[in-house]
């Protein structure tokens, strides 16, 4: 049932805080150890894993790409991510110590199913990250982590994607625990960060009227770009996919570092570009994103920046008025061409952080050394 929402997808977007809470439920014991009861692989088997290959299609593939950064960082196990429909038709090098992680919301995607059969035929172990209890992919896998997002009926994956990223992070932390590459308190700190995501997401959902206004401004645009770095890069790809499949707008995601290697040619006056900016400090990623933003602005792009609250470095240099928004994002006035002429005259609006994905990026980046 739609519970009073007009579409299942809107309902599912609003269910994200609850879905993430459920995905995390019961994973961390009072003794501070992470437990993944459904992972029916022994600690010894997990210690022997020397390579991880994450497979999935569409959004599931992007969840894997986001996770790769954290999983490699935490476990020190080489991790690659591949589209299931590419993987299944190649001759991959797999051994019994390869852990193939198959991500699928439905658990029934034919290419992902064929890919796990392909992997198991070569003795690799397969762990499914899945939302649908008893579906074919987890049934044919050696182990499973259920995402517990609840049924996803809307055509585009929303809460499914969020919980897939959370499940991948839990797997990465669990492997780190088993292999001793992280201390218990470090793991606890990341789990606590993950536990704060529902609150952040709720904060973003409470800003939906502003997001709708942004959507109205975008509706007539022929094309939109998304730029990110590090975990923000697959988030950019996911953002572009959502815009394509739901708004039928031509959208592309790029790694910001690629701009100067070709895509900058697409940037022209008025082109909307979503820019995903990690938190300040700790590494150069933030500053690199800021210079990419300056570069596209100099060519007339309209930037919609998703950044940490209070990050003034992402603001345009001119004297625009800025308004603080919420825990993770902020809103600006003046640089967005408004849909209505009268508001245009008043110099409104709108740059809004659509923070759901930002939370994932921010939270992860904060865990980096
Ligand atoms: C995009 C979307 C699709 C699915 C893909 C895989 O919004 O929903 O890209 O992510 O078809 O589906 P599952 O996860 O069911 O294997």
């Amino acid at each position: 049932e739609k519970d009073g929402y007009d579409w299942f997808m809107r309902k599912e977007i609003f269910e994200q805080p609850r879905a993430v809470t459920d995905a995390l439920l019961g994973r961390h014991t009072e003794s501070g150890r992470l437990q993944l009861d459904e992972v029916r692989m022994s600690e010894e088997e997990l210690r022997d894993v020397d390579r991880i290959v994450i497979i999935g299609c569409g959004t599931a593939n992007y969840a894997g790409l986001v996770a790769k950064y954290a999983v490699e960082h935490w476990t020190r196990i080489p991790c690659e991510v591949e589209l299931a429909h590419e993987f299944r038709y190649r001759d991959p090098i797999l051994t019994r110590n390869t852990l193939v992680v198959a991500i699928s919301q439905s658990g029934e995607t034919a290419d992902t199913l064929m890919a796990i059969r392909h992997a198991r035929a070569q003795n690799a172990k397969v762990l499914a990250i899945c939302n649908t209890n008893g579906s074919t992919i987890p049934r044919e896998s050696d182990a499973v982590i259920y995402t517990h997002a609840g049924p996803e009926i809307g055509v585009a994956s929303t809460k499914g994607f969020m919980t897939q990223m959370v499940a991948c992070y839990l797997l990465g932390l669990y492997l780190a625990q088993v292999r001793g590459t992280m201390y218990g308190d470090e793991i606890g700190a990341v789990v606590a960060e993950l536990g704060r995501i529902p609150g952040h997401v709720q904060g973003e959902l409470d800003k939906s009227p502003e997001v709708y206004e942004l959507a109205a401004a975008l509706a007539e645009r022929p094309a939109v770009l998304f730029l990110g770095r590090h975990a923000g890069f697959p988030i950019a790809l996911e953002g572009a996919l959502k815009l394509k499949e739901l708004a039928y707008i031509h959208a592309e995601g790029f790694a910001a570092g690629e701009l100067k290697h070709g895509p900058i040619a697409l940037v022209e006056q008025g082109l909307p570009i979503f820019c995903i900016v990690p938190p300040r400090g700790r590494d150069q990623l933030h500053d690199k994103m800021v210079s990419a933003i300056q570069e596209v602005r100099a060519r007339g792009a309209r930037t919609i920046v998703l950044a940490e609250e209070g990050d003034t470095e992402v603001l345009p240099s001119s004297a625009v008025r800025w308004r603080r928004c919420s825990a993770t994002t902020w809103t600006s006035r003046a640089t967005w061409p408004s849909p209505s002429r009268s508001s245009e005259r008043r110099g409104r609006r709108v740059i809004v952080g659509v923070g759901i994905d930002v939370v994932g990026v921010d939270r992860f980046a904060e865990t980096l050394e």
Side-chain angles (χ1 to χ4, degrees):
E1 263 316 297
K2 283 186 264 181
D3 289 347
Y5 287 96
D6 39 5
W7 302 301
F8 277 112
M9 208 175 70
R10 197 194 295 269
K11 170 175 178 267
E12 288 157 12
I13 287 170
F14 280 85
E15 282 173 350
Q16 287 180 111
R18 204 261 317 132
V20 173
T21 304
D22 288 352
L24 290 168
L25 210 63
R27 308 293 200 186
H28 207 217
T29 63
E30 293 207 341
S31 67
R33 295 223 16 119
L34 198 62
Q35 59 182 23
L36 294 180
D37 291 336
E38 317 112 293
V39 175
R40 302 175 297 257
M41 282 171 70
S42 70
E43 297 210 345
E44 199 174 1
E45 278 175 307
L46 292 174
R47 262 192 292 273
D48 286 343
V49 169
D50 60 10
R51 191 161 140 250
I52 298 171
V53 181
I54 304 180
I55 52 172
C57 302
T59 287
N61 171 60
Y62 296 146
L65 284 170
V66 171
K68 173 188 156 87
Y69 297 88
V71 171
E72 275 191 344
H73 180 65
W74 292 332
T75 65
R76 311 311 299 150
I77 306 172
C79 174
E80 55 203 87
V81 185
E82 191 167 352
L83 292 162
H85 40 86
E86 289 294 320
F87 178 89
R88 66 174 281 206
Y89 291 114
R90 7 184 238 112
D91 182 16
I93 300 161
L94 305 170
T95 72
R96 57 178 15 168
N97 294 333
T98 308
L99 180 65
V100 171
V101 178
I103 306 179
S104 175
Q105 187 285 126
S106 61
E108 301 293 350
T109 297
D111 281 317
T112 311
L113 178 61
M114 293 307 165
I116 68 171
R117 289 184 182 159
H118 190 43
R120 292 192 82 195
Q122 293 173 66
N123 294 321
K125 291 274 182 306
V126 175
L127 182 147
I129 289 182
C130 185
N131 191 39
T132 313
N133 281 32
S135 54
T136 314
I137 289 171
R139 269 195 282 118
E140 293 205 14
S141 299
D142 298 287
V144 58
I145 299 176
Y146 282 112
T147 48
H148 301 300
E152 195 174 58
I153 293 161
V155 69
S157 187
T158 53
K159 61 178 182 173
F161 177 61
M162 276 296 274
T163 52
Q164 283 164 356
M165 291 190 292
V166 168
C168 286
Y169 279 20
L170 288 171
L171 174 64
L173 293 171
Y174 188 63
L175 285 167
Q177 173 177 284
V178 167
R179 298 161 68 90
T181 49
M182 275 170 100
Y183 294 114
D185 52 348
E186 291 175 309
I187 293 172
V190 181
V191 174
E193 277 297 336
L194 294 174
R196 284 191 272 278
I197 290 179
H200 290 302
V201 175
Q202 190 56 55
E204 300 309 317
L205 293 173
D206 293 343
K207 284 182 282 177
S208 331
E210 291 166 284
V211 177
Y212 299 154
E213 224 175 305
L214 171 65
L218 282 175
E220 301 304 320
R221 296 279 153 171
V224 175
L225 297 188
F226 289 74
L227 283 185
R229 269 182 182 265
H230 195 267
F233 169 39
I235 294 293
L237 298 175
E238 168 68 2
L241 174 63
K242 289 282 118 81
L243 220 55
K244 283 175 195 149
E245 67 175 334
L246 298 172
Y248 311 116
I249 294 175
H250 178 225
E252 294 301 334
F254 292 108
E258 269 304 282
L259 262 186
K260 59 175 172 290
H261 301 290
I264 191 90
L266 293 173
V267 180
E268 54 182 24
Q269 198 66 32
L271 177 75
I273 306 187
F274 283 83
C275 304
I276 297 129
V277 182
R280 288 153 292 178
R282 309 208 186 190
D283 50 37
Q284 300 171 356
L285 288 173
H286 173 272
D287 297 354
K288 295 259 181 185
M289 265 316 293
V290 170
S291 39
I293 291 170
Q294 284 161 351
E295 205 164 326
V296 297
R297 275 184 189 145
R299 287 167 188 252
R302 302 296 189 188
T303 49
I304 305 128
V305 180
L306 289 79
E308 194 185 25
E309 186 196 24
D311 183 352
T312 50
E313 289 168 50
V314 297
L315 308 184
S317 45
S318 58
V320 278
R321 292 187 0 238
W322 297 93
R323 180 160 68 85
R324 277 275 176 91
C325 219
S326 82
T328 50
T329 56
W330 43 266
T331 304
S332 109
R333 288 155 187 264
T335 47
W336 193 266
S338 165
S340 87
R341 299 181 98 238
S342 60
S343 57
E344 211 164 8
R345 276 202 300 276
R346 290 201 305 273
R348 288 180 73 211
R349 189 7 90 114
V350 163
I351 291 179
V352 183
V354 192
I356 290 161
D357 293 339
V358 175
V359 175
V361 178
D362 287 355
R363 295 303 113 191
F364 166 61
E366 281 177 15
T367 68
L368 278 178
E369 286 302 307

